[in-house]
Amino acid sequence: MALNWVDYKTDVFVDWCPGCGNFGILVALQMALAELGLEPHRVVLVSGIGCSGKVPHFVKVYGVHTLHGRTLPFAQGIKIANPDLEVIAIGGDGDGLGIGVGHLVNAGRRNLDITYLIHDNGVYGLTKGQVSPTLQRGLKVKAVPKPNINDAINPIILAIASGYTFVARAYAYDTSHLKEIIKQAIKHKGLALVDILQPCPTYNDINTKEWYSGEDRIDPKTGKPIPRLYKLEEVGYDPIVHNIDEELKKKIGAIEKAKEWGDRIPIGIFYKNELVPTFQERIIKRIPFYLNNPPAKQRINDKEDHPLTSIDDFLKELRIT
Amino acid sequence: MAEVDFNWMAGGPQGSGVDTAANIFGRACGYGGLYVYGRREYHSNIKGLHSYFHLRVSNHEVSANLNDVDLLAAFDAETVVRHIEEVVPGGGIIVDKDQLEIKTLTIQTLPPEFKSMFKNYLESKGLSDRLSDLLKDAEEKGIHIFQIPYMELLRQIASKLGIDKLSKIMRMINVLTVGISFGLVDYDVELVEKAVRTFFQEKPKIIEMNVVALKIAYDYAKKSFSNDFKHNLQKLPVKEERIFLSGNQAVAVGKVLGGCRIQTYYPITPAADESEYIEAHEVLKTEIPGMDAGVIVIQTEDEIAAINMASGAALTGTRAATSTSGPGFSLMVEGLSWAGNNEVPVVITYYQRGAPSTGLPTRHGQDDLRFAIHAGHGEFPRIVLASGDIKECFYDAITAFNYAERFQLPVIHLIDKALANSSQTFPLFETKEIKIQRGNILDEDKLKYFEYRRFSFTESGVSPRVFLGTKGGIHWYTGDEHNEFGHISEESFNRTKMMEKRMKKLEAVEIEVPISEKINFFGDKNAKNIIVSWGSPKGAIIESLYKLTKEGFSLSFLQVRMIHPLPSKHIAEFLQRAEKVIDVEMNYSGQLGGIIREKTGIPMDFQILKYNGRPMTTTEVYNALKPVLLNQAPKRQVLTFGS
Ligand SMILES: Cc1ncc(C[n+]2csc(CCOP(=O)(O)OP(=O)(O)O)c2C)c(N)n1
Ligand code: SF4
Ligand SMILES: [Mg+2]
């Protein structure tokens, strides 16, 4: 039976502020799951702490709402133990680029086949509006007394430098585009990061929906706003690494693109490279039957509860008589 | 059978193969039916600073060191300086003939605080700081000084092997001293050769070199010193199968047998060896032909990732664990609290070492009992299980998983540096009785007929568990307080019920786990005096207990294995009967004693404590207990033996 996105809804009240960009992300995610026909019990959503961390409770798949900044360690543990699961990690920009950034970087070294969605709103929503690591220096958002003294992290560049093999950006209110990006991220073989620009109408009074739509700059000819966002796929940008020789060139191109900000902000896929072996493929090299009999599926005891593992190989080394 | 109790020590700079020498020595004794207990001591340093291995050989099982050294194999002068006081009259010191004129106070690796102490020692004895002077003094006490021309022997070895440069074989001083040692005690050299061959089996190129070195040294000692040394080691007939292993290895093998399939770690002493040992054996065999198994060891970016990755894996139904020591466990604390709140069966193997902070990174301590029990914000159930010897390390590694899954909570398996880095011979561990208890698990079939709630309220507080990915069992986890489905809930009435549901599991542990798994009792039930302790002092305590009992003292020993939840009713029953309760622990404040008093109201009458980073020996525990029994001891004694 084909599933509809509403089949992925729980009846938990969605308690985000009215107009929050998270609503768009939630719907896009549910639509992506439905369109990919992923059976709910095979999907695990893992999240950190923040407004963004609540997503799993609203989606009728397995949900693991973890600690602030720790969404990736949990997600990786789940995926390594049971590679049959479709694991999607979710977190805020503070979660992933502040307190959890060490995990973000190191996950890139492993290239597990999971998807990581960052709700990038420039603020710490749930703690009432402090600046997040993606806010530009010099900007003062509503709730804080002074302009931001730190420079911003660019999630796209950091992800590429860390070894992510699929790096994209999308916009919370363009749900159909976001849904497509999420679908591609899930289908990608390897670790995928999607930086989702997510207006927070309550605390980020700078990068607002109106700002992204360019309502502050009306085209005198048409009388219409000039949007800040444009799609990479519409300007002929090719993010794919077709052969390993062009990896560096593609990375540099993607980083250059990712530097664009302000008047013109690209969204879409910046970088995609399926030539890097995934963590699972690396394990198979050492434990050949890993996918057929992964940790979560191995029988460890018999019907009488006696252990099934043989420790003979250990004992051979330890035996002295 | 004649009593054998021979204490051998090898010492030298780190990187010079002290460990190798000790392993070969221990194995060789083991091959000959002798029992061995050995302890490794080393600095937090890779090359150059002093390390040593203190090995005890006996005709019966031994599980602790004595203070005594019967034969000291000194690779360098520093070893002599540091350990000469431990060598007993009638014992011997193997020393490099070319180093006799070294001025000991100029040895660069001796720290200033040691030198000033040693200078006073020399002055008080009227000795110069020449090594030969020190050795002469020892000789006068009846210690044999075996002056060996290390370089001359190395030259002989080199010429036999056709090697032009001595520097290429300098590392073989270790095997050379092993050969000398066995020559002096007249042990069967074939058993030693077998140990050398086994130890180096992965490196065939150097096997022959080491065998040649061994034999030249062995023959040299026999030829030069036959009959000089009163100690003699003879092989004994042995029929049973025996193993020789360290605490790190025991935990590793226990975990694997217990079904551990994911182990995460961030490198730290003395925990990392366990993970590396498992990784080296990641492809596993099973009892069922054709059924493959494998354990995945993941080196994470930090301990925060380590515990949370293990918890994630545990949610899928995988038996998952992480290993660390104090600094790492400190980082794991928030994850521990999450696991407690979400009822995750994750196992944390906690190797204590000297603390606070980085403390004594490679030395021993039992400083973290209260930390293990209390770590984590909020109140949540956990089990803290403390092994007392290497054999218990093996069984408890399995039991820890059983408790974790039966009661759905984090289990902290507390061990320490002394257990991790000691090696001991044992009859092959009995495995027939081992059970793997996975607790209440629902699968797809059972889930067809009702709406599943992960945290359903039940009589015992334990709710049936469903693994992530099971059809029909969708549920949620959250670190926030939650309702039965696992969704966030701040409702006051739900909070009260959920707290009680979780905490009630500790009552289930009290009722369902038999007392025999929680405490061990040794000695006479009606003894007037009782020792309480936990963890690695066990060996030294039991040996002292038997000696003192033989001498007619009325003494018993209660070893607490499950420290949380504490079986306080049973402990109280034992302690109430006693006239004197004697607390023996490797920390400053007597942490277990304090916990027992908190839970039973019974104070410790006497404390025997140690916190100098070196484990308790039988000698010093015996020497501290005796005055207590003779009413001649202060309430608090602090032990200080060990360099
Ligand atoms: C260890 C820890 N420190 C601090 C907090 C408090 N805290 C909760 S949410 C949050 C910030 C959330 O910001 P972000 O990750 O950007 O998520 P958002 O709410 O914006 O979606 C913080 C600091 C916490 N939960 N845990
Ligand atoms: S604070 Fe911002 S991010 Fe959080 S729910 Fe409100 S609008 Fe959304
Ligand atoms: Mg944010």
Coordinates of all heavy atoms in Angstrom, one line a residue, chain B residues 241-294:
Chain B
E241 N 44.1 -28.1 32.2 CA 44.4 -27.0 31.3 C 44.4 -25.7 32.0 O 43.5 -25.4 32.8 CB 43.3 -27.0 30.2 CG 43.2 -28.2 29.3 CD 42.0 -28.2 28.4 OE1 40.9 -27.8 28.8 OE2 42.2 -28.6 27.3
R242 N 45.4 -24.9 31.7 CA 45.6 -23.6 32.4 C 45.8 -22.5 31.4 O 46.3 -22.7 30.3 CB 46.7 -23.6 33.4 CG 46.5 -24.5 34.6 CD 47.5 -24.2 35.6 NE 47.4 -25.3 36.6 CZ 48.5 -25.7 37.3 NH1 49.7 -25.2 37.2 NH2 48.3 -26.7 38.2
I243 N 45.4 -21.3 31.8 CA 45.6 -20.1 31.0 C 46.4 -19.1 31.8 O 46.4 -19.1 33.0 CB 44.2 -19.5 30.5 CG1 43.3 -19.3 31.7 CG2 43.6 -20.3 29.5 CD1 42.0 -18.7 31.4
F244 N 47.0 -18.2 31.1 CA 47.7 -17.1 31.7 C 47.2 -15.8 31.0 O 47.4 -15.7 29.8 CB 49.2 -17.3 31.4 CG 50.2 -16.3 32.0 CD1 50.1 -15.9 33.3 CD2 51.1 -15.7 31.2 CE1 51.0 -15.0 33.8 CE2 52.0 -14.7 31.7 CZ 52.0 -14.4 33.0
L245 N 46.6 -15.0 31.8 CA 46.0 -13.8 31.2 C 45.9 -12.6 32.1 O 46.1 -12.7 33.4 CB 44.6 -14.1 30.6 CG 43.4 -14.1 31.6 CD1 42.1 -14.4 30.7 CD2 43.5 -15.1 32.6
S246 N 45.8 -11.4 31.5 CA 45.6 -10.2 32.3 C 44.2 -9.8 32.5 O 43.3 -10.4 31.9 CB 46.3 -9.0 31.5 OG 45.6 -8.7 30.4
G247 N 43.9 -8.8 33.4 CA 42.6 -8.4 33.6 C 42.0 -7.8 32.3 O 40.8 -8.0 32.0
N248 N 42.7 -7.0 31.6 CA 42.3 -6.5 30.3 C 41.8 -7.6 29.4 O 40.7 -7.5 28.8 CB 43.4 -5.8 29.6 CG 43.7 -4.4 30.1 OD1 44.8 -4.0 30.3 ND2 42.6 -3.6 30.3
Q249 N 42.6 -8.7 29.3 CA 42.2 -9.8 28.4 C 41.0 -10.5 29.0 O 40.1 -10.9 28.2 CB 43.4 -10.8 28.3 CG 44.5 -10.2 27.5 CD 45.8 -11.1 27.5 OE1 46.1 -11.6 28.6 NE2 46.4 -11.2 26.4
A250 N 40.9 -10.7 30.3 CA 39.8 -11.4 30.9 C 38.5 -10.7 30.6 O 37.5 -11.3 30.2 CB 40.0 -11.5 32.4
V251 N 38.5 -9.4 30.7 CA 37.3 -8.6 30.4 C 36.9 -8.8 28.9 O 35.8 -9.0 28.5 CB 37.5 -7.1 30.7 CG1 36.3 -6.3 30.2 CG2 37.7 -6.9 32.2
A252 N 37.9 -8.7 28.1 CA 37.7 -8.8 26.6 C 37.1 -10.1 26.2 O 36.1 -10.1 25.5 CB 39.0 -8.6 25.9
V253 N 37.6 -11.2 26.7 CA 37.1 -12.5 26.4 C 35.7 -12.7 27.0 O 34.8 -13.2 26.3 CB 38.1 -13.6 26.9 CG1 37.5 -15.0 26.4 CG2 39.5 -13.4 26.3
G254 N 35.5 -12.2 28.2 CA 34.2 -12.3 28.8 C 33.2 -11.5 28.0 O 32.1 -12.1 27.7
K255 N 33.5 -10.4 27.6 CA 32.6 -9.6 26.8 C 32.1 -10.3 25.5 O 31.0 -10.4 25.2 CB 33.2 -8.2 26.4 CG 33.0 -7.2 27.5 CD 33.5 -5.8 27.0 CE 33.3 -4.8 28.0 NZ 34.0 -3.5 27.7
V256 N 33.1 -10.8 24.8 CA 32.9 -11.4 23.6 C 32.0 -12.7 23.8 O 31.0 -12.9 23.1 CB 34.2 -11.8 22.9 CG1 33.9 -12.8 21.7 CG2 34.9 -10.6 22.4
L257 N 32.3 -13.5 24.8 CA 31.5 -14.6 25.1 C 30.1 -14.2 25.5 O 29.1 -14.9 25.2 CB 32.2 -15.5 26.2 CG 31.5 -16.8 26.5 CD1 31.5 -17.8 25.4 CD2 32.1 -17.4 27.8
G258 N 30.0 -13.1 26.2 CA 28.7 -12.6 26.7 C 27.9 -12.0 25.6 O 26.8 -11.5 25.8
G259 N 28.4 -11.9 24.4 CA 27.6 -11.5 23.2 C 27.9 -10.0 22.9 O 27.1 -9.5 22.1
C260 N 28.9 -9.4 23.4 CA 29.2 -8.0 23.0 C 29.5 -8.0 21.5 O 30.3 -8.7 21.0 CB 30.4 -7.5 23.8 SG 30.8 -5.8 23.4
R261 N 28.8 -7.1 20.8 CA 29.0 -7.0 19.4 C 29.4 -5.6 18.9 O 29.8 -5.4 17.8 CB 27.8 -7.5 18.6 CG 27.5 -9.0 18.8 CD 28.7 -9.8 18.2 NE 28.5 -11.2 18.4 CZ 29.0 -11.9 19.4 NH1 29.8 -11.3 20.3 NH2 28.8 -13.2 19.5
I262 N 29.3 -4.6 19.8 CA 29.8 -3.3 19.5 C 30.6 -2.8 20.7 O 30.0 -2.9 21.9 CB 28.8 -2.3 19.0 CG1 28.4 -2.7 17.6 CG2 29.3 -0.9 19.1 CD1 27.7 -1.6 16.8
Q263 N 31.8 -2.4 20.6 CA 32.6 -1.9 21.6 C 33.1 -0.5 21.1 O 33.8 -0.5 20.1 CB 33.7 -2.8 22.0 CG 34.9 -2.2 22.8 CD 34.8 -2.5 24.3 OE1 33.9 -3.0 24.8 NE2 35.9 -2.2 24.9
T264 N 32.9 0.5 21.9 CA 33.4 1.8 21.5 C 34.5 2.2 22.5 O 34.4 1.9 23.7 CB 32.3 2.9 21.5 OG1 31.8 3.0 22.8 CG2 31.2 2.5 20.5
Y265 N 35.4 3.0 22.1 CA 36.4 3.5 23.1 C 37.2 4.7 22.5 O 37.3 4.9 21.3 CB 37.4 2.4 23.5 CG 38.5 2.2 22.5 CD1 39.8 2.6 22.8 CD2 38.3 1.6 21.2 CE1 40.9 2.4 21.9 CE2 39.3 1.4 20.3 CZ 40.6 1.8 20.7 OH 41.6 1.6 19.8
Y266 N 37.7 5.5 23.4 CA 38.6 6.6 23.1 C 39.9 6.2 23.9 O 39.8 5.9 25.1 CB 38.1 7.9 23.5 CG 38.9 9.1 23.1 CD1 39.0 9.5 21.8 CD2 39.8 9.7 24.0 CE1 39.8 10.5 21.4 CE2 40.6 10.7 23.7 CZ 40.6 11.1 22.3 OH 41.5 12.1 21.9
P267 N 41.0 6.2 23.3 CA 42.2 5.7 23.9 C 42.5 6.3 25.3 O 42.5 7.5 25.4 CB 43.3 6.0 22.9 CG 42.6 6.1 21.6 CD 41.3 6.7 21.9
I268 N 42.7 5.4 26.3 CA 43.1 5.9 27.6 C 43.6 4.7 28.4 O 43.1 3.6 28.2 CB 41.9 6.6 28.4 CG1 42.4 7.3 29.6 CG2 40.8 5.5 28.8 CD1 41.4 8.3 30.2
T269 N 44.7 4.9 29.2 CA 45.3 3.9 30.0 C 44.4 3.8 31.3 O 44.0 4.8 31.8 CB 46.7 4.3 30.4 OG1 47.4 4.7 29.3 CG2 47.4 3.2 31.2
P270 N 44.2 2.6 31.8 CA 44.6 1.3 31.3 C 43.5 0.6 30.7 O 43.4 -0.7 30.7 CB 45.0 0.6 32.6 CG 44.1 1.2 33.7 CD 43.7 2.5 33.2
A271 N 42.6 1.3 30.0 CA 41.4 0.7 29.4 C 41.7 0.2 27.9 O 41.1 -0.8 27.5 CB 40.2 1.6 29.4
A272 N 42.5 1.0 27.2 CA 42.6 0.8 25.7 C 43.0 -0.6 25.3 O 42.5 -1.1 24.3 CB 43.5 1.8 25.1
D273 N 43.9 -1.2 26.1 CA 44.4 -2.6 25.7 C 43.2 -3.5 25.5 O 43.3 -4.4 24.6 CB 45.3 -3.1 26.8 CG 46.6 -2.4 26.8 OD1 46.9 -1.6 25.9 OD2 47.4 -2.7 27.8
E274 N 42.2 -3.4 26.3 CA 41.0 -4.3 26.2 C 40.4 -4.2 24.8 O 40.2 -5.2 24.1 CB 40.0 -4.0 27.3 CG 38.8 -4.8 27.2 CD 37.5 -4.1 27.7 OE1 37.6 -3.5 28.8 OE2 36.5 -4.2 27.0
S275 N 40.1 -2.9 24.4 CA 39.5 -2.7 23.1 C 40.4 -3.2 21.9 O 39.9 -3.8 21.0 CB 39.2 -1.2 22.9 OG 38.3 -0.8 23.9
E276 N 41.7 -2.9 22.1 CA 42.6 -3.4 21.0 C 42.6 -4.9 20.9 O 42.7 -5.4 19.8 CB 44.0 -2.8 21.2 CG 44.0 -1.3 20.9 CD 45.2 -0.6 21.4 OE1 46.3 -1.2 21.5 OE2 45.1 0.6 21.8
Y277 N 42.6 -5.5 22.0 CA 42.6 -7.0 22.1 C 41.3 -7.5 21.4 O 41.4 -8.5 20.6 CB 42.7 -7.4 23.5 CG 42.9 -8.9 23.7 CD1 44.1 -9.6 23.2 CD2 42.0 -9.7 24.4 CE1 44.3 -10.9 23.4 CE2 42.2 -11.0 24.5 CZ 43.3 -11.7 24.0 OH 43.5 -13.0 24.2
I278 N 40.2 -6.9 21.7 CA 39.0 -7.4 21.0 C 39.1 -7.2 19.5 O 38.8 -8.0 18.7 CB 37.7 -6.7 21.6 CG1 37.6 -7.0 23.1 CG2 36.5 -7.1 20.8 CD1 36.4 -6.2 23.7
E279 N 39.5 -6.0 19.1 CA 39.6 -5.7 17.7 C 40.5 -6.7 17.0 O 40.2 -7.0 15.8 CB 40.1 -4.2 17.5 CG 40.0 -3.8 16.0 CD 40.3 -2.3 15.8 OE1 40.7 -1.6 16.8 OE2 40.2 -1.9 14.7
A280 N 41.5 -7.1 17.6 CA 42.4 -8.0 17.0 C 41.7 -9.4 16.7 O 42.2 -10.2 15.9 CB 43.7 -8.3 17.8
H281 N 40.6 -9.6 17.4 CA 39.9 -10.9 17.2 C 38.5 -10.6 16.7 O 37.5 -11.3 17.1 CB 39.8 -11.6 18.6 CG 41.1 -12.0 19.1 ND1 42.0 -11.1 19.8 CD2 41.8 -13.2 19.1 CE1 43.1 -11.7 20.1 NE2 43.0 -13.0 19.7
E282 N 38.3 -9.6 15.9 CA 36.9 -9.1 15.5 C 36.1 -10.1 14.8 O 34.9 -10.1 14.9 CB 37.0 -7.8 14.7 CG 37.7 -8.0 13.4 CD 37.9 -6.7 12.6 OE1 37.6 -5.6 13.2 OE2 38.5 -6.7 11.5
V283 N 36.7 -11.0 14.0 CA 35.9 -12.1 13.4 C 35.9 -13.2 14.3 O 36.9 -13.8 14.8 CB 36.6 -12.5 12.1 CG1 35.8 -13.7 11.4 CG2 36.7 -11.3 11.1
L284 N 34.6 -13.6 14.7 CA 34.4 -14.6 15.7 C 33.9 -15.9 15.1 O 33.2 -15.9 14.1 CB 33.4 -14.1 16.7 CG 33.8 -12.8 17.4 CD1 32.6 -12.2 18.2 CD2 35.0 -13.0 18.3
K285 N 34.1 -17.0 15.9 CA 33.5 -18.3 15.5 C 32.4 -18.5 16.5 O 32.3 -17.9 17.6 CB 34.5 -19.4 15.7 CG 35.7 -19.2 14.7 CD 36.4 -20.6 14.5 CE 37.5 -20.5 13.5 NZ 38.7 -20.0 14.1
T286 N 31.5 -19.4 16.1 CA 30.4 -19.7 17.0 C 30.3 -21.2 17.1 O 31.0 -21.9 16.4 CB 29.0 -19.2 16.5 OG1 28.6 -20.0 15.4 CG2 29.1 -17.8 16.0
E287 N 29.4 -21.6 18.0 CA 29.3 -23.1 18.3 C 28.5 -23.7 17.2 O 28.4 -24.9 17.1 CB 28.6 -23.3 19.6 CG 29.3 -22.7 20.8 CD 30.6 -23.3 21.1 OE1 30.9 -24.4 20.6 OE2 31.4 -22.6 21.9
I288 N 27.9 -22.9 16.3 CA 27.1 -23.5 15.2 C 27.9 -23.4 13.9 O 28.3 -22.3 13.5 CB 25.8 -22.7 15.1 CG1 24.9 -22.9 16.4 CG2 25.0 -23.2 13.8 CD1 23.7 -22.1 16.4
P289 N 28.2 -24.6 13.3 CA 29.0 -24.5 12.1 C 28.4 -23.6 11.1 O 27.2 -23.7 10.9 CB 29.1 -26.0 11.7 CG 28.7 -26.8 12.9 CD 27.8 -25.9 13.7
G290 N 29.2 -22.8 10.4 CA 28.7 -22.0 9.4 C 28.0 -20.7 9.8 O 27.7 -19.9 9.0
M291 N 27.8 -20.6 11.1 CA 27.2 -19.3 11.6 C 28.4 -18.3 11.9 O 29.2 -18.6 12.8 CB 26.4 -19.5 12.8 CG 25.6 -18.3 13.2 SD 24.4 -18.6 14.5 CE 25.2 -17.7 15.8
D292 N 28.4 -17.2 11.2 CA 29.4 -16.2 11.4 C 29.0 -15.2 12.5 O 27.9 -15.0 12.7 CB 29.7 -15.4 10.1 CG 30.0 -16.3 9.0 OD1 30.9 -17.2 9.2 OD2 29.5 -16.2 7.9
A293 N 30.0 -14.7 13.1 CA 29.8 -13.6 14.1 C 31.0 -12.6 14.0 O 32.0 -13.0 13.5 CB 29.7 -14.2 15.5
G294 N 30.7 -11.4 14.4 CA 31.8 -10.5 14.4 C 31.5 -9.4 15.4 O 30.3 -9.0 15.6

